[in-house]
Amino acid sequence: MSDIKITFREKIKRIILVKEEIKNLIISSINLPTNVNPLSKSFILVERKHPNYPFITQELVDYGKKFARHHSISLPLKGTSYTIISGRIAYGKEIRAYHYKAGYYLPAIEKLNEILAQAESELGATISITQTMPDEHIIKLEEILFGDEHS
């Protein structure tokens, strides 16, 4: 597997396809909440140290809400490593001024982690979905997401 080299241009195209397929899997497997009261336990903070923090913050914005920083609280979710965020949703002016915290819909993050856990267990390495990810990580994700049709 390591003898396969992907050109930079091809790598970018394949990463985009992988990202889109992950988002499609997430949306097809969970019911996204609409008109949700943000005082629920559905939204969690994602720590910057999470290996896929950039992917989550850039690609999973549809599955998150922005909470007013001064009107939100964060609490640990018992028995997990997650932190719940609750409060009121930030207004346009607050978002433009970055006075918000982002909370992500917990089932979306769990589905992402489930997809990556399978690939990571087969590779024996942590996967970060970035433009600099190793070729073998892309190939493993493609095998899991698309089967043999993509290879």
Side-chain angles (χ1 to χ4, degrees):
M1 188 185 301
S2 59
D3 58 337
I4 299 173
K5 288 289 177 204
I6 303 172
T7 65
F8 181 74
R9 176 179 235 142
E10 183 67 16
K11 184 178 213 168
I12 298 303
K13 282 174 34 182
R14 290 169 80 164
I15 290 171
I16 290 169
L17 289 173
V18 163
K19 286 179 176 182
E20 288 306 311
E21 187 61 20
I22 288 172
K23 290 191 290 185
N24 290 337
L25 270 174
I26 289 171
I27 204 162
S28 68
S29 63
I30 63 172
N31 293 319
L32 289 176
T34 54
N35 301 319
V36 167
N37 177 351
L39 295 171
S40 68
K41 295 184 178 182
S42 297
F43 296 94
I44 58 161
L45 285 172
V46 176
E47 301 293 333
R48 286 184 185 273
K49 64 184 177 197
H50 189 288
N52 282 290
Y53 179 81
F55 175 76
I56 292 166
T57 56
Q58 292 168 20
E59 303 290 334
L60 298 186
V61 288
D62 293 341
Y63 320 116
K65 289 195 183 292
K66 293 178 171 148
F67 296 86
R69 182 166 292 159
H70 303 296
H71 300 282
S72 65
I73 57 168
S74 303
L75 302 165
L77 183 57
K78 288 182 181 175
T80 72
S81 60
Y82 297 118
T83 301
I84 302 164
I85 183 170
S86 65
R88 77 165 170 75
I89 296 172
Y91 296 118
K93 182 179 176 184
E94 291 169 323
I95 291 173
R96 284 192 301 276
Y98 299 99
H99 297 313
Y100 66 83
K101 288 182 183 175
Y104 297 91
Y105 189 49
L106 178 57
I109 303 303
E110 287 182 325
K111 184 64 181 177
L112 170 65
N113 289 339
E114 179 186 311
I115 293 164
L116 293 175
Q118 182 183 350
E120 289 174 346
S121 71
E122 292 179 25
L123 277 172
T126 301
I127 296 176
S128 292
I129 303 171
T130 65
Q131 290 184 356
T132 58
M133 65 192 292
D135 295 351
E136 58 268 17
H137 291 195
I138 298 169
I139 293 165
K140 181 52 69 181
L141 281 172
E142 286 175 337
E143 286 173 8
I144 290 168
L145 295 168
F146 304 110
D148 292 332
E149 69 191 56
H150 230 259
S151 299

